[in-house]
Amino acid sequence: AAFAVDTWERKEGGGGISCVLQDGEVFEKAGVNVSVVFGLLSEEAARQMRSRGKSLKAKDGKLPFCAMGVSSVIHPKNPHVPTMHFNYRYFEIEEADGNKQWWFGGGTDLTPTYLNEEDAVHFHKTLKEACDKHDLKLYPKYKKWCDDYFYIKHRGERRGIGGIFFDDVDSPSKEEVFQFVKSCAKAVVPCYIPIVKRHCHDSFTPEEKLWQQIRRGRYVEFNLVYDRGTKFGLLTPGSRIESILMSLPLTARWEYMHTPPERSKEAEILEVLRNPKDWVH
């Protein structure tokens, strides 16, 4: 399979490139979005930002903004290869007095259908090394933030086994935060591709494929109900819905009252999703 490359423009300002691969040999669906958009922040989006502590001073109710980011979600065919997501972004708002507020956000996280401890350790160690180059306090802080952020409240479980996640980072300086974000982005390939190569030819049963479909249903629930980026996109006038919903899997399943057998491989991953582990110590 090949990526379909779709260049788009937003009439309110800016545009981007969406690249999507479907029905590949290894990846059932894989997407990469790059976007740079600007214009005026919608009331709903401004409200969402103020709710997390931003004091935004509008001029005649208007807030000019610029947002840019790169994101990717990969849903593999094989249930023994985890789904992976990453997103790194920069946001800037100009207030009524001409003052500019800016911040970076992002993260990388892993959503396995079945738990493989070796993979989990490799993934987290690679991200920890990227963070440690800048400050030893960053990985534990952003690992916890990731576990807390990807929490599906109505299920009492996390979307996956985490990674790192941060938002509203605006210190010590723009250049230093940018260097940190670049280190995190450069860690994406080494933290994930070795896991794909290790498992993409593993054999699997119809029952394991079914469990993957049910777990993907949880992925959809999180993205549509809780994910801040999805909600922001849906609230932004002129945003491209196809690109925003690119993160959803090609196929998923919801079974009524599905509960895996005790002490099964399926129950094992659920235990970790309900009680996050420290993978690197």
Side-chain angles (χ1 to χ4, degrees):
F3 276 97
V5 178
D6 198 5
T7 305
W8 52 273
E9 285 186 18
R10 177 176 173 268
K11 70 177 193 300
E12 290 83 357
I17 304 167
S18 294
C19 310
V20 181
L21 176 153
Q22 291 185 163
D23 281 322
E25 196 177 311
V26 176
F27 301 136
E28 189 171 292
K29 187 176 176 192
V32 182
N33 264 338
V34 180
S35 64
V36 179
V37 297
F38 51 88
L40 297 174
L41 209 57
S42 70
E43 262 308 308
E44 293 96 329
R47 200 175 302 127
Q48 188 187 328
M49 287 177 182
R50 287 189 178 108
S51 73
R52 58 179 214 262
K54 296 279 176 204
S55 59
L56 305 173
K57 298 186 280 291
K59 185 177 185 179
D60 303 324
K62 293 183 173 141
L63 278 165
F65 82 95
C66 173
M68 58 196 74
V70 56
S71 64
S72 177
V73 179
I74 296 174
H75 295 287
K77 273 199 164 164
N78 194 311
H80 299 293
V81 181
T83 285
M84 191 275 296
H85 155 259
F86 82 86
N87 166 264
Y88 291 101
R89 57 193 179 274
Y90 172 76
F91 214 96
E92 193 173 276
I93 287 180
E94 187 175 335
E95 296 185 279
D97 57 6
N99 182 46
K100 285 187 177 175
Q101 281 202 48
W102 62 267
W103 61 89
F104 287 88
T108 306
D109 62 282
L110 198 69
T111 306
T113 301
Y114 289 95
L115 183 63
N116 180 302
E117 297 227 354
E118 189 184 340
D119 294 343
V121 169
H122 166 79
F123 184 79
H124 277 269
K125 271 194 167 168
T126 308
L127 294 178
K128 181 180 184 296
E129 284 164 14
C131 292
D132 285 356
K133 287 180 198 165
H134 300 269
D135 188 333
L136 297 178
K137 296 191 196 84
L138 295 179
Y139 170 77
K141 179 181 176 182
Y142 294 156
K143 191 265 186 198
K144 183 182 185 308
W145 198 336
C146 190
D147 289 334
D148 292 343
Y149 178 75
F150 290 105
Y151 183 56
I152 308 171
K153 294 187 189 104
H154 61 270
R155 296 285 187 184
E157 62 192 44
R158 274 85 193 154
R159 188 176 79 175
I161 60 161
I164 56 171
F165 178 85
F166 54 89
D167 208 352
D168 302 327
V169 178
D170 56 6
S171 66
S173 72
K174 191 182 286 189
E175 186 53 37
E176 284 173 278
V177 182
F178 184 42
Q179 290 304 323
F180 164 65
V181 168
K182 283 204 280 190
S183 294
C184 294
K186 285 176 181 170
V188 169
V189 169
C191 78
Y192 182 57
I193 296 304
I195 297 173
V196 176
K197 288 181 173 173
R198 199 177 296 144
H199 300 293
C200 64
H201 299 300
D202 288 3
S203 60
F204 58 88
T205 65
E207 291 76 23
E208 288 170 333
K209 188 68 184 172
L210 172 67
W211 178 241
Q212 182 192 47
Q213 296 287 292
I214 290 169
R215 293 312 310 165
R216 283 194 184 154
R218 300 286 206 267
Y219 202 95
V220 172
E221 287 176 29
F222 177 85
N223 281 28
L224 293 183
V225 177
Y226 299 113
D227 186 71
R228 193 186 293 159
T230 303
K231 284 158 83 170
F232 176 81
L234 296 175
L235 294 172
T236 302
S239 58
R240 193 165 187 273
I241 302 303
E242 286 296 324
S243 298
I244 294 163
L245 299 183
M246 184 194 76
S247 64
L248 301 182
L250 201 57
T251 59
R253 188 178 177 101
W254 286 265
E255 286 202 7
Y256 184 69
M257 300 292 282
H258 184 277
T259 308
E262 281 184 39
R263 290 187 288 280
S264 63
K265 285 278 185 191
E266 291 77 13
E268 180 186 34
I269 185 76
L270 276 183
E271 174 58 29
V272 171
L273 299 179
R274 288 167 183 157
N275 301 290
K277 283 181 68 167
D278 177 351
W279 297 103
V280 295
H281 295 104

